[in-house]
Amino acid sequence: MNKFYYFFFCLVFLVFLPISHAKEIVEPDRQSARQLGKTDFDRMADHEIRENIQSLKTLMIKLYKRNPSELKKSTSEDPEKMVNWVFNGNHNWNFEAINNAQGTDAIYLTFSEDYKGDKVLPFIVGIYTMLIKAHGGKKEFYLFDSVDPQMLYNASRNIETAVWKLSNTKDSSGKFFLLANEINEKESNLSFEREFGKIIGRTDFLAFTLSEKTERSITRIIQNVTTGLLIPF
């Protein structure tokens, strides 16, 4: 990829940086031992997955605050403590409460009427573990690491479908499985959609950037999100 396209991709990538976190971003010391083993693309992937994880933490807190009854199924603690345990606890992302489900299996569990537990937990766990798998099981990248751009692209499409299900799927009694966005005469709250949009945008950007770098084409999957079917992962 020539210098012009590289500059263009980097410029577009900046668009997806969360403005609210701009002051917190510290440029890594490129002379450190860890940074010497990284290319610019590795650093880009580091930033992308780091910001996506931060977005998932934000979304999990917001979902618990919007659905307090779900939080009570897991803990009597506040949402922040629950989220800290999920993302930093010593469980290796295997939760007995959801039968150790991960990826698309966990996402589907959220919308199952047979599952009576905390529905926020499998939704976030499913998206997180799917993203990590799409990144080759890594959260930090070095010179000889390889990420499949097709996997990243497929993960983005699945997140689009999951978000559609979140906003449109109801149980047999006509109630949403989880409350998220809200639009009515008194209020218009699309903050969930915007945060998920950031995740999709960052992941797609990295997918197409890596596709150009490695000259590995991405098969654009024609997917009707209204079917609610996720791409096998």
Side-chain angles (χ1 to χ4, degrees), residues 47-60:
H47 181 80
E48 176 264 348
I49 191 63
R50 183 171 61 247
E51 290 300 318
N52 279 347
I53 290 173
Q54 184 58 48
S55 285
L56 284 178
K57 290 178 181 179
T58 298
L59 284 162
M60 194 173 195

Side-chain angles (χ1 to χ4, degrees), residues 65-168:
K65 289 184 176 180
R66 190 87 168 84
N67 302 270
S69 61
E70 301 302 318
L71 178 62
K72 291 178 181 178
K73 295 176 184 179
S74 288
T75 181
S76 59
E77 300 284 1
D78 58 37
E80 288 78 9
K81 288 185 178 180
M82 176 65 179
V83 171
N84 181 61
W85 175 71
V86 169
F87 281 85
N88 301 308
N90 185 27
H91 43 61
N92 198 31
W93 288 85
N94 290 304
F95 300 91
E96 292 184 6
I98 59 174
N99 299 320
N100 298 324
Q102 294 186 342
T104 57
D105 290 339
I107 295 172
Y108 279 130
L109 197 60
T110 302
F111 305 100
S112 169
E113 292 199 61
D114 292 332
Y115 171 66
K116 305 300 182 182
D118 172 2
K119 291 185 178 297
V120 174
L121 181 62
F123 190 74
I124 296 298
V125 168
I127 293 177
Y128 174 91
T129 52
M130 180 178 65
L131 278 174
I132 296 300
K133 185 175 181 180
H135 287 75
K138 297 177 179 293
K139 292 189 290 185
E140 189 167 5
F141 305 89
Y142 293 92
L143 183 61
F144 296 107
D145 289 331
S146 176
V147 178
D148 185 349
Q150 185 70 57
M151 292 281 281
L152 293 172
Y153 177 84
N154 290 356
S156 278
R157 305 292 72 74
N158 277 350
I159 295 173
E160 286 179 341
T161 300
V163 174
W164 183 91
K165 289 173 72 66
L166 185 67
S167 301
N168 293 276

Side-chain angles (χ1 to χ4, degrees), residues 146-196:
S146 176
V147 178
D148 185 349
Q150 185 70 57
M151 292 281 281
L152 293 172
Y153 177 84
N154 290 356
S156 278
R157 305 292 72 74
N158 277 350
I159 295 173
E160 286 179 341
T161 300
V163 174
W164 183 91
K165 289 173 72 66
L166 185 67
S167 301
N168 293 276
T169 309
K170 299 179 181 179
D171 62 21
S172 57
S173 65
K175 295 181 180 179
F176 288 108
F177 285 97
L178 285 173
L179 297 176
N181 293 319
E182 183 174 15
I183 301 178
N184 54 46
E185 295 180 356
K186 297 181 179 180
E187 183 179 10
S188 178
N189 177 10
L190 297 175
S191 59
F192 290 91
E193 186 174 308
R194 287 194 294 270
E195 200 66 44
F196 277 116

